[in-house]
Amino acid sequence: MRQRYGENRFIEHREPPIWRQYLAHFNNPLVVILLLASVVSAMLGELINFFIITIIILASVTLDFFQEHRARTAAEKLRQSIALRARVVRDGIAQSIAVSDIVPGDIVLLKAGDLVPADGVLVAARDCFVNQSVLTGESYPVEKRAVPINHGDDLQAATNALFMGSSVVSGSATLCVVQTGSATAMGAIAERITADDSVSPVDQGIRQFNTMILRLTIGMVLFVLLVNLLSHKPWLSSFLFALALAVGLTPELLPMVVSVTLARGSIRMAREQVIIKRQRAIQDLGSMDVLCTDKTGTLTEAKIHMQSHLDPLGGESEQVLVLAYLNSWFETGLRNPMDEAILTHKKIDIGGWKKIDEVPFDFERRRVSVLLENTGERLLIVKGAPDELLRLCTQYILGDQVCEITNTDRDHIRDVYRSQETEGFRVLAIAHKPVAVDHPHAVVDDESALVLAGFTAFLDPPRESAKPALKTLLAAGVDVKIVTGDSERVTQHICQVLELPVQGIVLGSEIERLDQSALRARVASANIFCRLNPSQKERVITALRACGHVVGYLGDGVNDAPALHSADVGISVDGAVDVAKAAADVILLKHDLNVLVRAVMEGRRTFGNIMKYILMGSSSNFGNMFSMAGASVFLPFLPMLPTQILLNNILYDLSEIAIPLDEVDDAELSQPHVLDIQLIQRFMWIIGPISSAFDFLTFGLLLWLFKANEALFQTGWFVESMCTQVLVIFIIRTRGNPLKSTPHPLLALTSLLVVTLAIFLPFTDAGTYFGFVPLPLNYLGGVVILVITYLLVVQFIKKKFYQYF
């Protein structure tokens, strides 16, 4: 069946054959131009240049492909480990399978919180309400029934059908799958839905860096080409020299370094029980300076216990427990931990009670109602947030006595549940209302003129691990903000226990009155946001991002999905509801802030290694570019042959291939960083000319002391250039003392091997193919002195640079 219908995806993803993936690496303008240039060389009889250029390009492309393919394969296996699953009935047996394996004809079992995995018709439904706003734009849940109906093309009228991508808000359903993948209603708009137009701060910085390098390269290459042609140097050599210079100046290794670094970061994070769904999220984790998190299960244990059941005046009441139990037992929506705590607190006999109807919970009303019948009488039982429910009550009950609620009573009742919240207890209000025996359905309008029965109080103790994790995040420059639907008093108590300073409290009712500009000012000064519905949570995230922050959001509920999608990096947990997991970029396999702390540190390590390559590549490339331009003005010959430039380029790439494995200094991990293009420009403009200054010293040494001819000059500069630009890796890779920061053994090994090869190559037969000649030993001694001096100067300038910038 799957071979017939394909994978159940919006856009079916098929990996191209290996050979096509390999050829895709040639889809690079510079590679294509160089290959054409090698063909021109062959046509003009320059066979040695043809073979050398072709071999170097093939070696570079093969290296990039091998590294990226291996890392991408490993990362994909990790992502598949947390793929969404669904419960289906096959051959009469209920089983869990990957959503991608669902085919037409499957019977899918759905409950509150599930994503609908395919289009289909309902076989059975019980109080099934579905949010299908992604398809229809209608934000309110729609009730679905297993009743045949002809709806034509109107999705909102299709009350007997469920559609891929919608989510079950309450109730349960059994679905017979009709369409999967691109044949679904979602598939018709998949490109619009799956498109992600947002650009992360790191991606934006890399784009700016590439644009800057491209402009410099084009300008300098045209300058060098013009100077060579005006000097009447051979046009073919000048053309190949300019092309090779373009390759040498372009950070063509950057995509591979970014890809491999991110993939290796994904693998390392998996060891820390963190699965990365979107690789770029690793960079965003490293740059994150604000973490918004829900309270329940993150700062608390999520092991909720009922502590008391009180009447409206604060006395113990068994009647409150019975009513709360009946409401939780017959509720078919997404049960939260407080429902479970009610049901496990004490067994209540529900014999004689039957359910008539239900008004499911939603985040605007913040309550749930069930209509029950017992011995010919019907009773509406409502459970919800105390402030909201008290407003709907006109009476309260003490024992068998029903009393009217006066303003004084209302104030006293409010003091009862608020005192519980101040002590850290989460409180639900319980109310009821007798209705006529012929009352057919429960509707929102029935939730009025209620009789308040009392309150249930729950204890959700703070996590022991949360306090040190919060301290670590704050010390690491991550501002923690609590964004919750819970009471501000309960949240304040948790903050007090966890020693999290309360800088300001904003309620959902206040957010509702603020426009976006006013909200941006408010979110900057507050760190506690309470009584928020899903849209208000999303507005807080959007406002923080508009203030220039890189924002992470940690949540696991249905109400967290909009905020997860709006954050720079959405973080959820493996036990979260499907809609939250689908919206998240990062999945924590363990619901613990310490796991997130380690993920943030790994993100910063990944970002740090990418920055190392950018700083090393930009300063080195700019220095070479400046030297090439200067040498082309006064030399009667090319300062370096095209093949020598290409060889220099690939050897330098080989020396840096282990950067993704390198460690990052603790100082780099202590604060979040974004890719600062201005810092990169300053570093390039300062360190690059220093490299050029030592190149010009080398030119003088070769021309005036050793009276070098063309071949000796090109060989001598090649060796000096390789030594300086490779060994400076050990200086630039750390902001501190390089003697106190140990590089990864493989990075040290590849760098030293490349330098050794560059020094000995001119003395071999292979070196003659590149136009090299043996160097005088006393020149090599001079190179050693130059390189040591260069490294000391760069270390001194680098130290001053970071002091000022």
Side-chain angles (χ1 to χ4, degrees), residues 470-471 474 479-480 482 492 495-496 498-504 526-528:
L470 287 173
K471 288 183 177 179
L474 293 171
D479 190 14
V480 179
I482 299 178
Q492 281 182 284
C495 290
Q496 183 180 1
L498 295 177
E499 299 179 5
L500 179 66
V502 177
Q503 300 165 351
N527 67 335
I528 306 296

Side-chain angles (χ1 to χ4, degrees), residues 78-91:
L78 292 175
R79 284 193 292 270
Q80 290 176 357
S81 68
I82 46 94
L84 292 179
R85 303 184 69 82
R87 284 187 60 78
V88 302
V89 177
R90 288 182 176 177
D91 300 323

Side-chain angles (χ1 to χ4, degrees), residues 546-566:
C547 293
H549 295 290
V550 180
V551 183
Y553 183 85
L554 173 58
D556 61 357
V558 175
N559 59 327
D560 295 313
L564 285 167
H565 185 75
S566 297

Side-chain angles (χ1 to χ4, degrees), residues 498-696:
L498 295 177
E499 299 179 5
L500 179 66
V502 177
Q503 300 165 351
I505 299 175
V506 180
L507 301 182
S509 56
E510 180 182 350
I511 291 176
E512 202 65 34
R513 296 191 300 268
L514 298 175
D515 60 23
Q516 204 61 18
S517 60
L519 182 59
R520 285 197 295 270
R522 194 73 179 91
V523 297
S525 59
N527 67 335
I528 306 296
F529 302 85
C530 300
R531 302 182 187 271
L532 269 58
N533 61 36
S535 63
Q536 291 166 346
K537 289 185 177 183
E538 184 179 20
R539 286 191 65 198
V540 169
I541 301 302
T542 304
L544 285 167
R545 292 186 67 187
C547 293
H549 295 290
V550 180
V551 183
Y553 183 85
L554 173 58
D556 61 357
V558 175
N559 59 327
D560 295 313
L564 285 167
H565 185 75
S566 297
D568 288 296
V569 52
I571 309 162
S572 193
V573 295
D574 194 30
V577 297
D578 286 354
V579 287
K581 289 173 66 177
D585 304 306
V586 177
I587 302 295
L588 307 181
L589 300 183
K590 185 178 180 182
H591 210 156
D592 187 345
L593 269 182
N594 286 297
V595 174
L596 180 58
V597 170
R598 293 193 290 270
V600 169
M601 294 300 112
E602 183 60 34
R604 293 183 183 179
R605 192 194 73 83
T606 300
F607 176 83
N609 282 334
I610 292 173
M611 277 296 293
K612 286 179 189 178
Y613 174 78
I614 291 176
L615 291 176
M616 288 186 286
S618 60
S619 58
S620 173
N621 290 351
F622 180 72
N624 285 341
M625 178 166 49
F626 198 74
S627 300
M628 291 281 184
S632 297
V633 171
F634 68 83
L635 286 178
F637 51 81
L638 295 177
M640 202 179 290
L641 295 176
T643 51
Q644 293 169 350
I645 295 175
L646 293 174
L647 179 63
N648 178 297
N649 191 52
I650 193 171
L651 289 178
Y652 181 65
D653 285 353
L654 282 171
S655 69
E656 293 192 327
I657 200 169
I659 284 178
L661 302 174
D662 199 22
E663 293 300 324
V664 175
D665 294 343
D666 290 341
E668 287 291 293
L669 302 178
S670 63
Q671 293 294 320
H673 300 281
V674 294
L675 200 149
D676 186 350
I677 192 66
Q678 291 185 341
L679 181 139
I680 295 170
Q681 286 177 328
R682 294 190 191 107
F683 192 89
M684 181 182 70
W685 284 105
I686 293 174
I687 302 298
I690 295 174
S691 172
S692 295
F694 279 85
D695 284 339
F696 288 125

Side-chain angles (χ1 to χ4, degrees), residues 699-708 778-779:
F699 296 165
L701 187 68
L702 287 166
L703 292 175
W704 296 321
L705 186 61
F706 289 93
K707 309 298 181 183
N778 54 347
Y779 171 75

